[in-house]
Each structure stands twice: as C-alpha cells, then as structure tokens.
Amino acid sequence: MFALFHQAITSSSVACLCLFAVSLLQFPQMQKLLWGKPTISVEALEQEIKAEEVRLKFLKKIPTFGYDNLIANWIYLNFLQYFGDDEIRTLTGYGLSPQYFEVILKRDPRFVNAYLALSTSSSMYAAMPRKSVKIMNKGLKSLNPWVPENSYYVWRYKAVDELLFLGDSQAARKSFTNASQWAKKHSDSESQLVASISAETAEYLKNNHNSKRAQISTWAMILSHRTDGKTRERAIREIEALGGTIISTPQGNKIQFSDP
C-alpha cells in the first residue's frame, strides 16, 4: 500500500515538475511579448513563434501521468492569449492555431468548446481547413451521441469547414446528417432544434450541391455563436453576398432568404 501511495505521489510530482519546467521555458518569451511589444521586431517575433512551436511539439509528446485535462485546459488558456493578441497576429498570422489544438484535443478529445475555436482559428484565420477537419476526424473517434454533452456540435463545426472552406458539399452533407442523428437522440429543445436545422441543411445539399440557402444557414450558425467581432463581420458579409438579409427582431437576428 505504501509503495502504491509513494508511486502516486512520485507521478504527481513528476507531472507538476514537467508543467513547471515548461512554464519556465515559456515565461521569458511571454515577458518579452508583453513588455517589448511596442518595439519588438518581426524577426524577433518569428523567433518566438519558432520557440512556441517547439514547446507545443514537446507538450504533444510529454507523459501526463493522468493530468491530460489539466494540460488541455492550460494549453487552451495559452491559445486564447495567442489568438487574442490582434496586434501581434497581424504581423505573424495564426499559423500555430492547429498545433495548439493537436495538443489540446489529443489530451482531451471531449473538450467540445475547443472544436469551435479550432474551426474558427484554423480554418477562418489560419486558412488551414484541411488540417482542422483532420484534427476533428481524429477527435470524433472518442465521441458518441451521449458523451460529452452536446457532442453533435462537433459534426456541425466539421460541416462548416467542409462546406464553406473546402467546398466539399457532399462531405458537409454527411456531417450535417450525423449532427442531426446524434441530436435527435436527445429530447431537450436545443438538441431538437439542432437536429431539425442540420437535417434541413443536409437536404438542401442533397438536392443542390451549391445551395446558397445551405451556405447562408451555415454562416448564420457561425453568427449565432459567441464569436469575435471580425468573425461576426465576415459572417454578415458572406450572408449578404449570398443574397441573405439579416433582420433584427426582439428575439434576435433572423435571416431572410431571397434565393433557394
């Protein structure tokens, strides 16, 4: 019994030390970015990006001793700091986005909210939808209609990437169909609404591979989420370019379709 207890303590200590060591590796870079932002050069930023890439590769391989969720949450906070720094990202781009989620979703493939951030950052900002879909396909192997809660949203995020950024309407139709089938298994109003909308979008794509209505519905889905200002602006532009009109009502925004 004592040996098992000692082993557990040792494993916990090693995991904490690993996290502490990685944090120390990261701290000087974070300080330089925070305090040196006004004068930091593009060359220096590129070096920081390379260092962060090495750190993420290390975190992808490091043993976790059962602390997968802790590491996933920690890296997600790192990603939010990375993604939210508009001034720096204007200079360096968002190329590390999928690498953050390779680590996050490897450690916690049931982290549903991370899939939305993956789709937005990697497909819309980093222009890497194929990478985003690949990561989601891998994560979906660990999900089912009941675990985690609202797991059907991952199929919808994947459908967004396939339809809007890869132009693969038939892959998107399958993903929307799967989202509908998973959502139908739940009786709450949110799930039933997702099931209905997903089935309708899949039907649009079945009859018309280039359906503007399906594309507008998909952009409307993006608009309905708590997205940043740039994403909302792009969603509105795309909806209007496809012939949709956004109408503000007391119940929220509604989309009027002018074309089938």
Side-chain angles (χ1 to χ4, degrees), residues 50-203:
K50 289 179 181 178
E52 181 70 350
E53 186 174 9
V54 171
R55 188 179 73 96
L56 289 170
K57 288 180 179 179
F58 173 69
L59 286 168
K60 190 176 179 181
K61 298 177 181 179
I62 189 174
T64 61
F65 304 101
Y67 288 87
D68 291 288
N69 288 1
L70 177 65
I71 292 178
N73 289 334
W74 179 58
I75 299 301
Y76 187 68
L77 291 175
N78 284 197
F79 162 76
L80 292 177
Q81 182 184 42
Y82 165 84
F83 184 76
D85 196 335
D86 292 338
E87 184 179 346
I88 297 298
R89 297 287 75 76
T90 299
L91 298 173
T92 67
Y94 295 84
L96 286 183
S97 293
Q99 294 186 49
Y100 277 103
F101 288 99
E102 283 182 323
V103 179
I104 293 166
L105 294 171
K106 177 183 179 181
R107 301 304 182 187
D108 186 5
R110 295 177 175 179
F111 190 171
V112 172
N113 288 339
Y115 288 93
L116 173 59
L118 163 65
S119 177
T120 301
S121 65
S122 299
S123 298
M124 191 173 296
Y125 284 85
M128 298 182 186
R130 292 189 187 281
K131 189 74 172 178
S132 178
V133 168
K134 183 178 179 180
I135 295 171
M136 279 191 260
N137 277 331
K138 189 172 182 179
L140 278 163
K141 295 177 182 178
S142 299
L143 310 185
N144 64 54
W146 298 276
V147 180
E149 185 179 5
N150 297 335
S151 57
Y152 46 77
Y153 275 115
V154 179
W155 283 111
R156 283 175 63 81
Y157 302 148
K158 180 169 171 280
V160 168
D161 287 357
E162 291 164 337
L163 179 61
L164 301 183
F165 303 114
L166 291 178
D168 191 342
S169 60
Q170 292 314 292
R173 182 173 69 85
K174 292 178 182 178
S175 294
F176 278 122
T177 299
N178 285 333
S180 178
Q181 290 173 347
W182 282 27
K184 280 180 182 177
K185 296 180 183 295
H186 303 275
S187 59
D188 61 282
S189 57
E190 179 183 355
S191 299
Q192 290 302 305
L193 178 62
V194 169
S196 175
I197 295 174
S198 299
E200 286 178 7
T201 307
E203 190 64 23

Side-chain angles (χ1 to χ4, degrees), residues 211-243:
S211 171
K212 288 186 178 181
R213 182 177 288 263
Q215 294 177 60
I216 290 172
S217 295
T218 306
W219 281 112
M221 186 192 83
I222 293 175
L223 190 60
S224 69
H225 288 294
R226 293 180 180 178
T227 55
D228 60 281
K230 288 183 180 179
T231 303
R232 288 182 59 83
E233 289 173 7
R234 178 170 180 185
I236 291 170
R237 288 199 308 271
E238 296 287 352
I239 289 170
E240 292 175 343
L242 289 163

